Amino acid sequence: MKKMKSLKVKMPLIIISVVSVFIIIMIMITDIKASNSIKNTAYKGYQNTILGYASLIDNWFDDQLTISKTYSSSKEVITYLLNRTEESRNEALNNIKNLKSINKYVINIGIADTSGNIILDSDDDKLINKNIIDLNPDIKNKMSSGEDVIFGEDIKNLK
């Protein structure tokens, strides 16, 4: 018992205790900091991934819009819209069918007049003379907004 009260035993025990407490505190601080760093890195990684996919989708839509504008400016389509002869109709129809077969994202291609009446469709003659607003009810409000390009979301199947 006298040995426990001696300075030779007390000093090393006190030093070991203090060092142990500091090591435990440092381990806890390091663990908390590392955990926060990992969470922040994971969050930023997910955020960058989401932004990358959003940019990819935006680029895809931009590409499809550019392709649509290219389709609408084809010589055959313009000739049909100006002349409306049977020969120009057949040329325009063959043209939009060929364009549809090239683009794997296109379901069908249709041409409508300024009133929204479909005058030519690549797949379904039953759609001709139907109004595009009847097929896409949500598009009427979008058309009045003055947008250059409009995507319909509530598309009816009339078959």
Side-chain angles (χ1 to χ4, degrees), residues 58-138:
D58 285 344
N59 286 335
W60 181 84
F61 274 117
D62 288 341
D63 288 346
Q64 293 305 309
L65 293 174
T66 301
I67 290 169
S68 296
K69 288 178 183 178
T70 303
Y71 292 170
S72 67
S73 64
S74 73
K75 178 184 130 194
E76 292 84 358
V77 171
I78 292 172
T79 302
Y80 174 63
L81 292 174
L82 292 175
N83 298 333
R84 302 268 178 110
T85 64
E86 189 63 28
E87 182 182 336
S88 64
R89 178 192 178 281
N90 290 335
E91 287 179 10
L93 184 59
N94 287 335
N95 181 262
I96 64 174
K97 284 182 178 182
N98 287 336
L99 294 173
K100 178 192 173 267
S101 69
I102 293 169
N103 189 340
K104 64 182 178 182
Y105 299 111
V106 172
I107 297 170
N108 77 329
I109 298 174
I111 299 173
D113 63 14
T114 55
S115 302
N117 296 317
I118 298 171
I119 56 175
L120 200 59
D121 190 86
S122 65
D123 285 349
D124 192 357
D125 287 337
K126 293 177 189 171
L127 294 175
I128 294 175
N129 294 325
K130 298 219 190 256
N131 195 290
I132 199 160
I133 294 172
D134 295 336
L135 299 173
N136 301 312
D138 66 324

Side-chain angles (χ1 to χ4, degrees), residues 2-21:
K2 278 189 167 190
K3 284 187 174 183
M4 285 303 274
K5 292 188 179 187
S6 74
L7 199 52
K8 284 182 178 180
V9 173
K10 281 185 174 179
M11 281 305 286
L13 284 177
I14 291 173
I15 291 173
I16 289 172
S17 298
V18 169
V19 168
S20 296
V21 168

Side-chain angles (χ1 to χ4, degrees), residues 13-69:
L13 284 177
I14 291 173
I15 291 173
I16 289 172
S17 298
V18 169
V19 168
S20 296
V21 168
F22 279 125
I23 289 174
I24 290 171
I25 291 172
M26 287 180 67
I27 288 173
M28 289 172 53
I29 291 172
T30 304
D31 184 48
I32 291 169
K33 292 285 186 183
S35 176
N36 288 341
S37 294
I38 290 170
K39 285 178 188 174
N40 289 338
T41 303
Y43 175 74
K44 287 179 183 176
Y46 288 132
Q47 192 174 24
N48 288 336
T49 301
I50 290 169
L51 290 174
Y53 281 118
S55 175
L56 179 70
I57 291 169
D58 285 344
N59 286 335
W60 181 84
F61 274 117
D62 288 341
D63 288 346
Q64 293 305 309
L65 293 174
T66 301
I67 290 169
S68 296
K69 288 178 183 178

